Amino acid sequence: MKKVLITRRISDNAVNLIKEAGYEVTVYAESKDLTQQQLIEMCEGHCGLLSVGPNQLDANFFKSCPQIKAVALMSVGYDKVDIAAATKFDVPISNTPDVLNEATADIAFLLMLSVARKTFYMHKTIERGEWTFFDPLKNLGQEIYGKTLGVFGLGRIGFEMAKKAKYAYGMNIIYHNRNKNAKAEKQLKAQYVSFDELLEQSDVLSVHANLSDETKGIFNRSAFEKMRPNAIFINAARGAIHNENDLIKALQDQTIWGAGLDVTNPEPMKKDNPLLQMENVCVLPHIGSATEETREKMAIMAAENVVAALKGEQMPQIIDPGFYLDK
Ligand code: DGY
């Protein structure tokens, strides 16, 4: 059995790479997420899985699919995968780090500017025929030059966001992380602060952390209450890191000034969500890595990972660093 299942249409180059390595490929091409049971059934007869989209890969999945010998995710985030369970069932899991750093940071940066100048809302006013005459006291945003950017999770994507903010807008960078980031401190003069200090001192607070038990819902009412009234909240990481109801409330009562979201909770966001009507809010449909160049690199990387593992080699982007120890 030499078959790999891919759970979305991806670049032909990536599919061909798997075929040229000697594997048959099944592509699930419907525009509808699979339930876990459907995925388990589709995995029958396959030894590899290239998982794209929100597939829940937990102990039940690995137990139900003993024939799956390798899983390559086409994402940097792996919050839908129980890595410990995968290791227990002897399945290596890889992700696609680094290749999406710039594209994802671009979206965070774009959201920062868009919110500060209310651009999405302004576009809608033109569509509604509300661009009538010039009023110097209307449509006013805020400047971000020289202000403070707080980065929650200053890893590789957070670093790219901080770099743009520092070099393009002379922003002062503060950050909160599990570990200090020496490179950011040296190159960007970034300053490590506590979580509360990050909330209190950021004019723009941009989230780039992984979703974990530690970060789930951490931006809640009490966090928003510690933020500045002029603060802009940006999330281009995972929607579950902020509590959406608390964010809506914080914006409605002007506890904070605005928000830019590339990720929501749930996804997709419903079209009647009140955030979509707010002047100081910009929402995008999780397109952080969505450029032709980046998606091509992610697909190729995922294909290379699944092929490597199926051939008995080490996966280049293995997530669990301990996986190959003692083997
Ligand atoms: C990622 O790579 O994790 C992006 O958010 C797409 O899911």
Side-chain angles (χ1 to χ4, degrees), residues 4 18 48-53 55 57 62 68-84 86-87 90-100 156 238 297-310 313-321 323-324:
V4 173
I18 299 173
L49 173 65
L50 196 159
S51 176
V52 195
N55 301 311
L57 305 180
F62 296 112
I68 291 287
K69 300 297 177 210
V71 176
L73 307 177
M74 196 179 121
S75 63
V76 66
Y78 49 87
D79 43 284
K80 298 278 178 202
V81 186
D82 183 340
I83 299 293
T87 301
D90 212 19
V91 181
I93 313 280
S94 62
N95 64 346
T96 56
D98 289 325
V99 290
L100 43 58
R156 292 169 286 208
R238 284 292 180 270
K297 287 181 201 156
M298 291 168 76
I300 297 282
M301 187 179 260
E304 286 172 348
N305 273 294
V306 76
V307 166
L310 293 176
E313 297 162 11
Q314 295 205 357
M315 271 180 147
Q317 271 76 36
I318 185 90
I319 294 170
D320 176 0
F323 186 85
Y324 291 113

Side-chain angles (χ1 to χ4, degrees), residues 1 21 41 73 113 119 185 189 230 283 296:
M1 176 191 48
E41 284 162 22
L73 307 177
L113 293 184
T119 59
E185 295 197 359
K189 308 257 176 301
N230 71 308
V283 184
E296 175 74 12

Side-chain angles (χ1 to χ4, degrees), residues 99-275:
V99 290
L100 43 58
N101 295 348
E102 284 91 354
T104 307
D106 280 347
I107 285 294
F109 194 79
L110 175 154
L111 284 169
M112 172 173 75
L113 293 184
S114 300
V115 174
R117 302 301 294 272
K118 311 182 182 186
T119 59
F120 289 24
Y121 186 81
M122 292 303 142
H123 181 99
K124 282 200 260 180
T125 63
I126 300 173
E127 286 180 337
R128 288 199 295 254
E130 291 168 10
W131 187 11
T132 48
F133 75 109
F134 171 67
D135 179 344
L137 292 179
K138 265 191 85 183
N139 300 342
L140 304 185
Q142 56 164 311
E143 305 222 355
I144 57 165
Y145 283 93
K147 289 197 174 160
T148 294
L149 171 71
V151 180
F152 181 69
L154 207 163
R156 292 169 286 208
I157 299 172
F159 183 86
E160 286 302 319
M161 170 65 172
K163 196 166 87 182
K164 290 179 210 302
K166 179 85 183 170
Y167 294 144
Y169 283 83
M171 293 182 85
N172 168 45
I173 311 296
I174 58 176
Y175 72 103
H176 183 73
N177 248 11
R178 265 172 313 186
N179 303 309
K180 289 200 176 182
N181 187 319
K183 185 177 158 199
E185 295 197 359
K186 186 155 182 265
Q187 274 187 32
L188 309 176
K189 308 257 176 301
Q191 192 198 339
Y192 181 88
V193 293
S194 69
F195 183 57
D196 277 0
E197 286 167 335
L198 189 85
L199 297 170
E200 288 156 13
Q201 295 173 23
S202 299
D203 296 306
V204 178
L205 200 161
S206 194
V207 176
H208 298 281
N210 292 329
L211 175 62
S212 64
D213 290 344
E214 228 179 310
T215 62
K216 191 171 177 189
I218 190 164
F219 288 91
N220 55 16
R221 178 122 199 98
S222 109
F224 292 127
E225 274 168 0
K226 292 182 183 139
M227 288 173 67
R228 298 182 164 189
N230 71 308
I232 294 174
F233 175 76
I234 304 291
N235 190 352
R238 284 292 180 270
I241 296 177
H242 65 262
N243 178 310
E244 202 151 284
N245 288 333
D246 290 356
L247 176 62
I248 291 169
K249 184 90 183 38
L251 288 160
Q252 281 168 340
D253 62 19
Q254 297 176 352
T255 302
I256 66 169
W257 192 84
L261 307 176
D262 184 43
V263 289
T264 63
N265 186 20
E267 288 182 5
M269 177 182 265
K270 296 225 171 65
K271 68 178 190 179
D272 61 354
N273 191 302
L275 288 168

